[in-house]
Amino acid sequence: DQQVKQNSPSLSVQEGRISILNCDYTNSMFDYFLWYKKYPAEGPTFLISISSIKDKNEDGRFTVFLNKSAKHLSLHIVPSQPGDSAVYFCAAWVNSGAGSYQLTFGKGTKLSVIP
Amino acid sequence: SAVISQKPSRDICQRGTSLTIQCQVDSQVTMMFWYRQQPGQSLTLIATANQGSEATYESGFVIDKFPISRPNLTFSTLTVSNMSPEDSSIYLCSGSRGPGNTIYFGEGSWLTVV
């Protein structure tokens, strides 16, 4: 059962416009969410995070919004730049039982920013 | 942020052989994890590396195939044993300062099994 879902495998956006990447989750016990950016054959790079006690966190061109009632979060990139072209992963911390924690990832959304 | 370095960054391996990946993290990391990303797939947790004891494996991963060591707080190894082409993947070491904190990743080790 996939607990973190990114339903759009890909997204194309014109340079300068806003990119909106979406993520849904099923476990209401998640309390910390993260977005990562990944280029091919490289490790994921942390972008931005949000705690469940907040509904918005902003860092430069990146803003993450959290809607707990809808179990939905989104990453906004504005303005989008060609260098933003990458795969973006949504992730959430979950208590997997017996005091064990793990970070669960969505399947990723490939963003292409067109010059 | 945490500094996480792993090696090798890339290798081509013969079927049936084993390869050990090393990971070094900075001293602020308390939790270490090993992930795998197969081509076109998401990141999948292999195991949590526990200091001084056996790793905690996720469903579908076993110690005989992916033995993991963590002899101290800042170092861990993952061995991919008896490799087959299906093991071709990027293997990622990661670390965190604890539950609910950001996990940082190394650059990954890209293994191709021929």
Side-chain angles (χ1 to χ4, degrees):
Chain A
D1 180 30
Q2 194 180 355
Q3 297 191 72
V4 177
K5 301 177 184 179
Q6 293 177 258
N7 293 319
S8 298
S10 62
L11 174 69
S12 291
V13 173
Q14 286 291 131
E15 180 178 4
R17 299 290 187 101
I18 184 171
S19 295
I20 299 176
L21 299 118
N22 294 304
C23 178
D24 297 299
Y25 61 94
T26 57
N27 189 337
S28 59
M29 297 300 290
F30 288 151
D31 60 4
Y32 192 65
F33 303 88
L34 307 93
W35 283 95
Y36 290 85
K37 173 182 178 180
K38 187 178 184 301
Y39 295 115
E42 291 186 10
T45 302
F46 168 71
L47 272 178
I48 192 168
S49 63
I50 188 167
S51 165
S52 61
I53 63 173
K54 295 186 175 182
D55 54 20
K56 177 182 175 181
N57 188 25
E58 189 172 356
D59 183 2
R61 296 186 299 114
F62 302 93
T63 303
V64 56
F65 296 91
L66 175 62
N67 182 335
K68 288 190 291 294
S69 61
K71 296 191 179 69
H72 177 84
L73 67 157
S74 60
L75 174 68
H76 293 210
I77 306 172
V78 55
S80 301
Q81 300 173 353
D84 296 328
S85 297
V87 178
Y88 289 78
F89 290 96
C90 170
W93 271 109
V94 60
N95 183 343
S96 52
S100 174
Y101 293 83
Q102 66 169 272
L103 194 64
T104 298
F105 285 84
K107 289 187 179 293
T109 297
K110 183 177 181 180
L111 174 66
S112 300
V113 180
I114 304 164
Chain B
S1 65
V3 177
I4 301 182
S5 58
Q6 62 179 104
K7 59 181 181 181
S9 58
R10 183 179 292 267
D11 208 339
I12 298 174
C13 309
Q14 294 294 319
R15 183 194 302 253
T17 63
S18 300
L19 183 80
T20 296
I21 303 166
Q22 299 181 7
C23 179
Q24 182 76 45
V25 301
D26 67 35
S27 59
Q28 298 185 61
V29 168
T30 57
M31 301 180 76
M32 291 182 73
F33 308 89
W34 286 97
Y35 283 83
R36 178 174 76 178
Q37 187 188 22
Q38 294 178 301
Q41 302 296 314
S42 183
L43 291 88
T44 302
L45 179 64
I46 297 172
T48 301
N50 300 309
Q51 182 187 357
S53 64
E54 188 173 297
T56 304
Y57 289 85
E58 298 303 308
S59 175
F61 297 97
V62 295
I63 188 172
D64 289 346
K65 176 67 175 176
F66 298 102
I68 289 171
S69 77
R70 189 179 175 190
N72 58 56
L73 193 62
T74 61
F75 184 77
S76 178
T77 66
L78 166 72
T79 299
V80 186
S81 302
N82 188 24
M83 285 185 282
S84 66
E86 292 72 33
D87 295 319
S88 297
S89 181
I90 182 168
Y91 291 85
L92 296 151
C93 175
S94 62
S96 168
R97 297 190 177 103
N101 287 281
T102 300
I103 284 188
Y104 296 95
F105 287 83
E107 285 297 306
S109 299
W110 183 261
L111 302 186
T112 302
V113 184
V114 297

